[in-house]
Amino acid sequence: MHSIRQQPFKYAVLALVWGWLLFLVLAPNLMVVGASLMTRDPSSFISLPLNLDAYRQLMDPLYLEVFLHSLYMAAITTLICLLIGYPFAWALSKVGKQRQVLLIFLLIVPFWTNSLVRTYALKLILATNGLLNNGLMSLGLIEEPLKLLYTEGAVIIGLVYLLLPFMILPLYSVFDDLREELLLASHDLGGGRWPTFIHVIVPLTLPGVIAGVMLVLLPAMGLFFVPDILGGSRNLLVGNVIKNQFLDARNWPFGAAASIVLTLAMAVLLLAHRVSKRRLGEEGA
């Protein structure tokens, strides 16, 4: 009691953080877990008895196909973000501090605008009479407008556009902490650029890669408004299934079960990130 009186601000902040975690993180997740184990009820959405029917429904070939297609599109998005973000983050860590501040500022400026608004802007660019097709036709590169909108490629473009910063920022963090002495030591021991990259840079930046994958892969599966705006009905993601189950089909147990699966996948990626950082720390020691 005496320590609480001495440091009231510290304990007030701790109480606020724990309260936020308990009531706005833990409690909603427990409610979702509970809903996933209950029975669908047309009048009250969920009711007793408890069962695993919602999880069995996840194995339905129709939903399994949607999940695999969503995973495929999210994996392609993640790979593109990694291929773009890895060299960009490396180059960003090599420039002067003033330029780094400017480039990071330009990177996060899009966050000042709602992602839904930016997706609609992208739709105007990719439309049949949009900016991209009109620009290509005015340059004489194409004779007819390209079919870009309402395709799988349009969804992937939208996902990459929205999620690329989430790949770059954790990669920049690990590149910024990368010690130049390790690279010089590799060169002194006869390692060329490629062996140094494979055996030194990649292992040291692996935690950033896993963090970037974690921040891109699962959100890419859940951004339901991107397929709604850019992809049409044939390019659904898991997020679209969850939204439809809660808002249209009113099958709350199934929607909750699909949400739990995504949460478990996030937990697996968090565990992989933790293990990679631990192994990297043991090797450094």
Side-chain angles (χ1 to χ4, degrees):
M1 181 66 69
H2 181 66
S3 61
I4 294 178
R5 291 177 179 175
Q6 287 182 334
Q7 298 177 318
F9 180 75
K10 172 184 175 181
Y11 288 99
V13 171
L14 289 175
L16 181 63
V17 171
W18 278 105
W20 183 85
L21 290 174
L22 290 174
F23 293 105
L24 298 179
V25 178
L26 180 61
N29 279 282
L30 290 177
M31 293 173 63
V32 172
V33 172
S36 70
L37 297 173
M38 299 186 77
T39 303
R40 179 186 181 186
D41 191 324
S43 59
S44 58
F45 302 119
I46 54 176
S47 63
L48 294 174
L50 300 179
N51 56 71
L52 297 175
D53 290 345
Y55 291 94
R56 296 189 187 99
Q57 192 177 356
L58 286 172
M59 302 308 296
D60 185 286
L62 175 63
Y63 295 113
L64 190 59
E65 181 180 355
V66 172
F67 180 83
L68 293 177
H69 180 69
S70 178
L71 182 60
Y72 160 76
M73 296 183 67
I76 294 296
T77 300
T78 305
L79 180 60
I80 295 174
C81 287
L82 182 59
L83 293 176
I84 297 174
Y86 200 91
F88 184 88
W90 176 83
L92 183 60
S93 67
K94 296 297 182 182
V95 301
K97 290 298 179 181
Q98 292 184 346
R99 291 186 178 181
Q100 282 186 14
V101 172
L102 176 61
L103 291 174
I104 293 175
F105 171 76
L106 294 176
L107 184 66
I108 64 176
V109 159
F111 288 106
W112 295 1
T113 305
N114 187 276
S115 57
L116 186 61
V117 175
R118 288 187 283 141
T119 304
Y120 273 109
L122 190 60
K123 180 180 180 180
L124 297 177
I125 295 174
L126 299 178
T128 303
N129 295 322
L131 296 176
L132 182 58
N133 273 318
N134 288 336
L136 293 176
M137 292 180 67
S138 64
L139 294 174
L141 298 178
I142 58 174
E143 296 181 357
E144 298 180 355
L146 300 176
K147 176 64 176 178
L148 300 174
L149 202 58
Y150 305 123
T151 63
E152 183 179 288
V155 177
I156 293 175
I157 291 173
L159 293 173
V160 170
Y161 170 62
L162 293 177
L163 297 173
L164 181 59
F166 294 100
M167 178 66 75
I168 293 175
L169 292 175
L171 286 172
Y172 163 73
S173 178
V174 294
F175 272 115
D176 195 49
D177 292 336
L178 189 62
R179 294 167 55 188
E180 191 70 26
E181 295 86 350
L182 297 175
L183 305 183
L184 295 176
S186 176
H187 290 299
D188 291 341
L189 293 173
R193 292 184 177 180
W194 186 248
T196 299
F197 175 75
I198 294 297
H199 299 292
V200 179
I201 297 178
V202 170
L204 291 176
T205 57
L206 186 59
V209 172
I210 296 177
V213 169
M214 181 172 59
L215 292 173
V216 172
L217 182 64
L218 293 180
M221 298 177 68
L223 289 176
F224 60 87
F225 59 86
V226 176
D228 284 347
I229 297 172
L230 301 178
S233 60
R234 291 185 296 177
N235 294 288
L236 298 178
L237 300 175
V238 175
N240 298 94
V241 175
I242 295 173
K243 181 203 72 170
N244 292 335
Q245 295 303 315
F246 277 104
L247 300 181
D248 299 328
R250 302 300 176 98
N251 190 349
W252 285 21
F254 181 68
S259 301
I260 292 299
V261 170
L262 286 183
T263 303
L264 292 176
M266 174 66 79
V268 171
L269 288 177
L270 284 171
L271 180 61
H273 181 252
R274 182 176 181 182
V275 170
S276 67
K277 292 192 70 173
R278 181 181 299 175
R279 291 187 58 184
L280 186 60
E282 292 175 353
E283 292 174 1

